[in-house]
């Protein structure tokens, strides 16, 4: 069983190129278009994607991008040669899909897993069969049997958005609400804490390390009391709602929070774009104006349209979102696959986590990042 080191990329200036941007990966160049040679003159590479779902634009875009990037860099002749098996959020079906790829002797499997524990046995079976597995989007609780996990840098995406927004606000008080996904969700926690860290770091003029320490305390207070205030930073989170990452599920909490805070509310934070769209609807319905919308992550093209002014909201402006790009995940993951299948890289040599570059998408760069949205 191989041992790996966890790659933690806290300084975005050092992030190299999934999510490009690769943590310590060699030869994973975003613009790579070298044609891969097959294992021998008569054989073709067999590559599969074990997807947890195709329900939602992120997952559809991720699947399509992996297929297209495999074709672009020459791992397959055409995108459709990469076989997709969709589990429809059924862990038993995902295990069956792994069994299919293994029995048919595939050369490599990409997987966006449903459950971080259940998939371990599936990945071990592939590992024992000599088939490399690259996790995309979703991590696993034991990375011993996979090459690496490729996803976005949630903490730093949130932090960069928080830093940028806090600077844009000058000395104005930030009186906000937080729209969160699921209680205990790791990605959501990282995104939310990143936002808080960036705001405290910028407003208090402290180091990132100092800000993270304060952030842990702030988040504990938010979760336990339902609100958080730092008077010195002129920063308040007056309430937190939970919305399971969707527009419809956040509406009840967003409506309640808007009613309770409308006299002072000027900012809505979200752990993804979709919940902010729900918050925006609640603010529009309440007749609010002057609201700033700040997402820690996603990069939905609908959000980009709000950021660049193509689409507008009567309640306020969509300031930024963190780039959680399925296209960048695909670029990074497929380049790693090429390194292994074509260049002969050791699958056991990769870090347990490979993160894409953290980017806060604002009016200043939304046009250049638009192609990486979904």
């Amino acid at each position: 069983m191989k041992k790996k080191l966890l790659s933690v990329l806290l300084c975005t200036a050092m992030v190299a190129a999934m999510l490009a941007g690769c943590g310590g990966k060699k030869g994973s160049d975003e613009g790579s278009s070298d044609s891969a040679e097959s294992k021998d003159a008569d054989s073709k590479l067999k590559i599969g994607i074990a997807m947890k779902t195709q329900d939602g634009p992120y997952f559809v875009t991720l699947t399509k991008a992996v297929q297209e990037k495999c074709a672009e860099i020459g791992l397959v002749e055409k995108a459709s040669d990469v076989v997709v098996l969709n589990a429809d959020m059924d862990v038993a079906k995902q295990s069956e899909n792994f069994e299919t790829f293994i029995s048919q002797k595939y050369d490599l499997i990409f997987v966006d897993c449903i459950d971080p524990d259940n998939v371990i046995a599936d990945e071990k079976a592939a590992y024992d069969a000599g088939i490399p597995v690259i996790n995309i989007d979703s991590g696993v609780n034991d990375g011993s049997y996979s090459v690496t996990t490729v996803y976005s840098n949630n903490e730093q995406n949130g932090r960069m958005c928080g830093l940028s927004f806090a600077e844009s606000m000058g000395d104005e008080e930030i009186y906000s609400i937080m729209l969160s996904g699921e209680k205990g969700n790791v990605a959501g926690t990282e995104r939310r804490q990143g936002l808080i860290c960036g705001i405290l770091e910028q407003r208090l003029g402290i180091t990132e390390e100092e800000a993270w320490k304060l952030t842990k305390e702030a988040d504990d207070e938010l979760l336990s009391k339902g609100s958080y205030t730092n008077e010195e930073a002129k920063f308040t989170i007056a309430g937190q709602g939970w919305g399971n990452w969707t527009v419809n599920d956040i509406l009840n909490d967003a409506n309640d929070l808007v009613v309770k805070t409308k006299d002072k509310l000027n900012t809505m934070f979200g752990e993804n774009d979709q919940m902010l769209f729900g918050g925006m609807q609640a603010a529009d319905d309440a007749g609010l104006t002057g609201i700033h919308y700040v997402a820690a992550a996603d990069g939905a093209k609908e959000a980009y349209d709000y950021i660049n002014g193509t689409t507008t909201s009567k309640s306020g402006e969509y300031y930024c979102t963190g780039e959680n790009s399925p296209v960048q995940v695909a670029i990074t993951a497929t380049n790693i696959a090429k390194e292994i299948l074509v260049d002969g890289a050791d699958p056991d040599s990769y870090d347990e986590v490979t993160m894409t570059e953290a980017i806060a998408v604002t009016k200043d760069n939304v046009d250049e990042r638009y192609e990486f949205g979904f």
Side-chain angles (χ1 to χ4, degrees):
M1 187 184 299
K2 61 187 176 181
K3 303 294 183 182
K4 304 176 189 173
L5 295 176
L6 179 63
S7 173
V8 181
L9 304 180
L10 296 179
C11 179
T12 59
M14 298 302 292
V15 178
M18 100 273 293
L19 310 154
C22 289
K25 295 290 154 282
K26 51 188 176 296
S28 298
D29 205 8
E30 177 179 329
S32 174
S33 60
D34 296 338
S35 295
E37 297 178 0
S38 58
K39 291 175 293 183
D40 58 58
D42 299 318
S43 66
K44 294 181 180 180
L45 292 170
K46 296 172 68 176
I47 298 173
I49 309 176
M51 284 298 296
K52 60 184 177 186
T53 182
Q54 288 290 269
D55 184 13
Y58 181 94
F59 303 108
V60 172
T61 302
L62 177 61
T63 301
K64 182 179 178 182
V66 170
Q67 291 179 296
E68 291 177 347
K69 296 303 174 184
C70 281
E72 283 181 19
I73 63 178
L75 292 177
V76 294
E77 290 184 5
K78 54 186 183 297
S80 60
D81 290 337
V82 179
V83 175
V84 181
L85 298 181
N86 178 19
D88 287 320
M89 298 305 291
D90 183 336
V91 293
K93 180 62 175 177
Q94 189 158 72
S95 294
E96 291 176 10
N97 293 342
F98 261 86
E99 291 172 4
T100 297
F101 287 138
I102 293 169
S103 66
Q104 295 182 9
K105 298 181 180 179
Y106 271 60
D107 295 290
L108 185 139
I109 301 169
F110 296 101
V111 58
D112 188 356
C113 74
I114 300 166
D115 182 270
D117 290 311
N118 177 272
V119 77
I120 294 171
D122 300 326
E123 296 193 351
K124 183 179 186 302
Y127 183 80
D128 290 344
I131 301 173
V133 176
I134 298 176
N135 300 301
I136 51 176
D137 177 50
S138 298
V140 299
N141 287 337
D142 183 353
S144 300
Y145 307 108
S146 57
V147 176
T148 189
T149 297
V150 184
Y151 56 72
S152 65
N153 193 333
N154 289 308
E155 288 185 343
Q156 289 301 316
N157 269 338
R159 173 175 168 265
M160 292 188 69
C161 288
L163 282 168
S164 179
F165 176 65
E167 183 177 8
S168 74
M169 289 290 283
D171 293 330
E172 184 180 353
E173 178 185 13
I174 298 173
Y175 194 90
S176 67
I177 57 175
M178 179 72 69
L179 305 182
S180 298
E182 300 170 285
K183 294 181 180 179
N185 181 275
V186 174
T189 299
E190 291 175 343
R191 294 173 182 182
R192 178 177 68 250
Q193 290 185 355
L195 283 169
I196 296 170
C197 177
I199 291 167
L200 293 176
E201 182 180 345
Q202 197 280 334
R203 292 225 144 179
L204 299 177
I206 57 179
T207 67
E208 180 181 346
E209 182 179 1
E210 292 169 331
W212 279 117
K213 183 178 179 180
L214 288 178
T215 293
K216 305 300 182 183
E217 299 169 358
D219 198 44
D220 287 343
E221 183 175 332
L222 176 62
L223 291 172
S224 63
K225 297 182 179 179
S227 63
Y228 166 76
T229 296
N230 186 303
E231 293 183 0
E232 183 181 356
K234 298 174 68 174
F235 172 42
T236 293
I237 302 175
Q240 182 175 25
W242 300 93
N244 198 34
W245 313 107
T246 70
V247 173
N248 290 333
D249 286 349
I250 196 62
L251 277 175
N252 283 339
D253 281 6
N255 283 322
D256 289 344
L257 290 169
V258 164
V259 170
K260 292 176 182 178
T261 63
K262 63 181 181 180
D263 291 340
K264 295 186 65 176
L265 183 67
N266 63 13
T267 302
M268 282 194 197
F269 295 113
E271 291 172 14
N272 76 341
D273 288 322
Q274 294 300 315
M275 290 187 295
L276 272 190
F277 298 154
M280 184 182 298
Q281 180 177 326
D284 285 345
D285 292 343
L288 298 187
T289 58
I291 305 297
H292 306 284
Y293 298 96
V294 181
D298 261 9
K301 286 185 176 178
E302 184 177 353
Y304 290 169
D305 289 339
Y306 278 113
I307 291 170
N308 67 22
T310 303
T311 304
T312 59
S313 167
K314 59 186 178 183
S315 58
E317 67 161 6
Y318 211 102
Y319 179 77
C320 73
T321 188
E323 185 177 84
N324 176 33
S325 168
V327 178
Q328 294 288 44
V329 170
I331 289 170
T332 303
T334 55
N335 279 331
I336 292 172
K338 178 179 179 293
E339 291 170 8
I340 293 168
L341 297 176
V342 178
D343 303 333
D346 181 1
D348 289 356
S349 67
Y350 289 81
D351 293 333
E352 188 170 332
V353 171
T354 302
M355 296 185 186
T356 59
E357 183 180 3
I359 297 174
V361 181
T362 68
K363 288 181 180 179
D364 293 336
N365 62 354
V366 63
D367 290 341
E368 65 187 72
R369 307 312 302 176
Y370 198 89
E371 66 178 301
F372 301 117
F374 60 93

